Amino acid sequence: MVSSAQQGTLGHKQTWLLPLLCLLAGGALIGISTNLAKYAGEIGLTPLAFLFWSITGAAVILFIYALLRRELPPLNKSILSYYFVAALVSVAGSNLIFFSAIPHVGASFVALIISLPPLLTYLAAIVLRIEPFTKLRALGVIAALAGAGVLAARKFSAPDASVFWIVLTLCGPVLLAIGNIYRTLYWPANLSASALAPGMLIAASGLLALVNIVPHYSLAVPMTGLLPLGVIVLQAFVFAAQFLLLFLLQKTGGPVLLSLLGAVGAVVGVPIAIFLQNESPPEGLILGASLIALGVILVTYGGVKMMRAEQGSVSE
């Protein structure tokens, strides 16, 4: 028989293990995604076309997944509002900024900048009383932000720096942080991650289709061979897994832990950009990446301690 102490230990492990696995896997997919976006540009796919068709493909994949689980996205006025707002800040707006900026600032820099939301998310979560203040987690998000700040400052000081694209890229994390908080505050009651993810991606696909109206933006895919289509399909599966894990992490780990997806993505995406795509290492890479890694460790460990304390108080 399993003792109550052993059951408690098992419960603690299950409480923090799932969010940690979602964080590591989801972050790794973000790092892969930024590099796929750079490669897509090199084979003739525009940022809008690549993003639209891969998001649409991911929406189809997740819709089928939800259908098989009998968890189809519900359709009513409040749910539709949730889908479109979440889609705008979390998917369409932020990713269009990042994918458009990659040819100008590099995949490694974008992967690192995606690690910026933790401080913004943490501050908002404290102000809105979504999470209690803890010194350990605060230190973690500050460390992650400092690491990204070092890299951004070095990028600005480069002689060939594109100030417009650097500043625009820095707007992306603001949208991501807003999305983290919005999805937490307005998560529809009694709905699972597999039901919400396809609805958000379908809404994002619709928003991106509207961008096609703007001059010089096109959804056309070059029909020079199967390679562009293959990259889109691969990105669709990456997006499907990435956003499903995003909702699972949000439900189990909260908005601050969720915001560290970008930090993990940086740790994965930068080496891929450097060693597989022949990008020059960003200035300050070692210091910046070390601070980001430290931030992930501190926030994750702080979250584990907080969960254990809450469970201990409940059991008493």
Side-chain angles (χ1 to χ4, degrees):
M1 294 181 65
V2 179
S3 67
S4 58
Q6 289 174 322
Q7 288 177 337
T9 301
L10 181 60
H12 289 323
K13 288 182 178 179
Q14 291 174 337
T15 299
W16 65 262
L17 184 58
L18 178 60
L20 181 59
L21 290 175
C22 289
L23 173 64
L24 295 176
L29 290 172
I30 290 175
I32 293 170
S33 178
T34 54
N35 282 279
L36 281 174
K38 178 179 180 178
Y39 182 69
E42 294 174 349
I43 61 174
L45 282 164
T46 65
L48 177 62
F50 179 60
L51 184 59
F52 170 79
W53 291 111
S54 56
I55 286 291
T56 302
V60 172
I61 293 168
L62 289 181
F63 185 84
I64 294 172
Y65 178 71
L67 181 63
L68 294 175
R69 290 173 58 90
R70 297 182 180 179
E71 295 180 345
L72 288 176
L75 296 177
N76 57 56
K77 186 176 180 180
S78 62
I79 297 296
L80 286 173
S81 298
Y82 179 87
Y83 289 152
F84 277 98
V85 175
L88 176 63
V89 294
S90 301
V91 186
S94 53
N95 279 288
L96 186 58
I97 286 174
F98 293 137
F99 283 21
S100 299
I102 283 174
H104 306 278
V105 299
S108 58
F109 180 71
V110 169
L112 289 161
I113 290 305
I114 295 175
S115 67
L116 279 172
L119 182 59
L120 300 173
T121 304
Y122 186 74
L123 291 175
I126 296 299
V127 170
L128 297 173
R129 298 182 180 180
I130 297 174
E131 291 202 10
F133 176 84
T134 61
K135 293 181 180 179
L136 192 62
R137 301 191 95 187
L139 182 61
V141 293
I142 290 171
L145 178 70
V150 167
L151 293 155
R154 296 293 181 88
K155 192 74 174 178
F156 271 117
S157 64
D160 58 343
S162 176
V163 176
F164 170 80
W165 285 105
I166 294 173
V167 172
L168 186 62
T169 304
L170 292 172
C171 293
V174 177
L175 292 180
L176 291 177
I178 292 171
N180 292 341
I181 295 297
Y182 175 82
R183 290 193 312 275
T184 298
L185 289 177
Y186 298 100
W187 185 291
N190 303 320
L191 288 182
S192 67
S194 56
L196 291 176
M200 184 181 72
L201 291 187
I202 291 170
S205 179
L207 291 172
L208 289 168
L210 294 176
V211 181
N212 185 50
I213 301 172
V214 179
H216 308 299
Y217 281 86
S218 172
L219 300 179
V221 175
M223 304 305 292
T224 55
L226 294 177
L227 184 58
L229 182 60
V231 174
I232 288 173
V233 171
L234 177 58
Q235 180 67 65
F237 278 98
V238 169
F239 268 147
Q242 176 185 320
F243 285 108
L244 182 60
L245 288 170
L246 179 145
F247 274 101
L248 286 172
L249 179 57
Q250 177 137 23
K251 194 68 172 177
T252 59
V256 176
L257 192 62
L258 174 75
S259 69
L260 288 174
L261 277 169
V264 179
V267 173
V268 174
V270 173
I272 293 176
I274 293 171
F275 295 110
L276 297 183
Q277 303 224 62
N278 299 318
E279 282 194 7
S280 299
E283 294 290 331
L285 175 61
I286 295 176
L287 175 60
S290 298
L291 288 169
I292 289 170
L294 176 63
V296 173
I297 293 169
L298 290 177
V299 173
T300 303
Y301 181 65
V304 171
K305 288 185 66 177
M306 188 169 63
M307 290 177 190
R308 287 178 175 174
E310 290 174 353
Q311 290 178 347
S313 63
V314 170
S315 62
E316 292 174 1

